[in-house]
Structure formats: structure tokens, C-alpha cells
Amino acid sequence: MKPANIFSGFFAVLGLVLMVGTILLCLLSLNAEPRLVETPEEAQTLSEELMEALCAGDYEAASAMIYGQPELGGTQESDDPVSIALWSAFQDSLSYEFNGPCYATDEGIARDVTVTALNISSVTDTLAQRTETLVAEQMQKEADAMPKDENRPTAYQKEPEPDVEDVEQALAQAVEQALAEDAVMNTWNATLNLICQDGQWWAVPDQALLQAISGAA
């Protein structure tokens, strides 16, 4: 099997990782009418519990706190080891810090939060080249270790060709290298809007927060 064909199969699944924020974008179209009475403890607690759930990867709990209770993209599972490694690294990198307590706005209540997370693209952008280099190095090692036919010119010696296992091993190693050497951490200044509907408090993340939790640039 040609390396190019093997690469295409592996890198196709990486798109799944970057899809986590797409479903969340529907929240931007919500036109809920909030009601501001005061700055209750429930609103502040909601903001803290939501950010904890998102950073812990508990998308089911997070969805239950977001207005409209959308099915978040992060609930999708993948059996691909590269996607699993990248998503695990992203979740481990995700952190937040509130920039103060809740405050009143013309529309209701809000709370500002700074989110820091891995930019997944900074890792995936170098994976193909890293993998190809590692595969070539492995093939060269195998070629050097092969017994030579003294009766045939060097140009006609049989050269080893990579198989699926070779590429899988190289790709796994490339992911480790890219995470250690190429990873870029991004910071977003986001706002959680908090609305009260029929006595129930809900969170409405803004565009910056949606980008942060999706691993986008």
C-alpha cells in the first residue's frame, strides 16, 4: 500500500476533532429575552459549573446548563488513536480564569472569562511531513540492515517498502513530536451571558468561547 493512501485514511479522521464547535454555533442565533432582577448567586454558580464541565470534557453536563440544551459536538467518539491523542491533549490543555464576578448588562447578566487551550491546527499542520520523514528514516534503517546481494548492482538491490504498521508507528511518534515541539496555546477573552427563563438560569456562550472549546485558531 502506498504511504500517500495510508496517510489519507489517517488524516481524514482529524476533521472529526475540529468539528467539536460546529454544533455550538447554533447558539449564536438565539434571541432569548432575558429578565434582569438582581445578580443572584445561582447565576454565578452556573457560570462556574459550566466552565468546570467544559474543561473536564463533561459535555452532557455542560449541555444541560446551556440555553436550548444543544447536543455538543464533543460528545462524538472516535476509535482512531490519533484523534484520541489530539483530543486528550486538547482537553488536558483547557483551562479558564474568570475576570471578576457577574455583572449587569442592558440585556441581563454576564461574566467575563479568559480561556486558554491548545490550538489543534498547530499540531496537525506538521503531522504529514513529520510522518513521511519518520517513515523514510525507518525504511532506510531496514534497508541498511538487509543483507546485500554482492552479485547485483546497488541500484538494483531490493528496497523495503512501508506497510500499515510502519505508518501507524510513525504517525504515533509524529503526534508526540508535534505536541512537544509545535503546539501553540491560544487565549480567548470570552463572555458568558446568563439569562433567566421561568425561574431557571441558563448560559449562552459567545463566539470567543465557542472557538476556544472547539480547538480552533
Side-chain angles (χ1 to χ4, degrees):
M1 182 179 295
K2 295 183 178 179
N5 295 332
I6 301 173
F7 293 148
S8 63
F10 283 113
F11 288 103
V13 300
L14 297 183
L16 295 176
V17 177
L18 303 179
M19 291 291 290
V20 63
T22 56
I23 298 178
L24 293 176
L25 295 178
C26 66
L27 298 175
L28 299 177
S29 62
L30 295 176
N31 294 313
E33 293 294 333
R35 297 180 297 158
L36 175 61
V37 179
E38 55 183 0
T39 307
E41 184 67 26
E42 292 88 342
Q44 186 149 307
T45 299
L46 174 67
S47 65
E48 295 166 356
E49 291 180 348
L50 174 62
M51 292 308 304
E52 285 293 323
L54 289 173
C55 288
D58 190 347
Y59 290 97
E60 183 176 356
S63 174
M65 291 180 264
I66 295 175
Y67 183 75
Q69 297 181 288
E71 182 178 351
L72 304 184
T75 58
Q76 296 176 356
E77 297 181 356
S78 172
D79 294 328
D80 175 67
V82 175
S83 295
I84 292 173
L86 290 174
W87 186 247
S88 177
F90 171 75
Q91 282 295 156
D92 290 343
S93 73
L94 195 59
S95 64
Y96 72 94
E97 181 178 359
F98 285 113
N99 304 322
C102 295
Y103 58 89
T105 68
D106 292 339
E107 293 77 25
I109 294 177
R111 194 173 189 185
D112 296 331
V113 59
T114 298
V115 181
T116 302
L118 170 69
N119 179 351
I120 296 178
S121 295
S122 68
V123 178
T124 59
D125 286 348
T126 63
L127 279 184
Q129 183 58 52
R130 284 185 176 277
T131 303
E132 291 177 4
T133 299
L134 289 168
V135 169
E137 291 175 353
Q138 179 60 31
M139 292 303 98
Q140 186 59 54
K141 289 180 181 179
E142 293 183 11
D144 293 342
M146 291 179 63
K148 305 300 181 182
D149 186 350
E150 301 296 339
N151 298 319
R152 303 186 69 186
T154 302
Y156 293 95
Q157 300 286 347
K158 183 179 180 180
E159 297 293 336
E161 295 182 358
D163 56 21
V164 173
E165 184 177 354
D166 290 323
V167 176
E168 287 178 342
Q169 292 176 350
L171 184 55
Q173 187 177 349
V175 170
E176 292 181 4
Q177 290 182 354
L179 286 171
E181 301 174 16
D182 303 327
V184 173
M185 301 294 289
N186 284 354
T187 299
W188 294 263
N189 293 317
T191 298
L192 273 176
N193 295 294
L194 305 164
I195 62 174
C196 185
Q197 294 269 317
D198 300 324
Q200 174 72 45
W201 282 94
W202 302 95
V204 181
D206 68 354
Q207 176 70 51
L209 183 55
L210 298 180
Q211 290 180 338
I213 64 176
S214 71

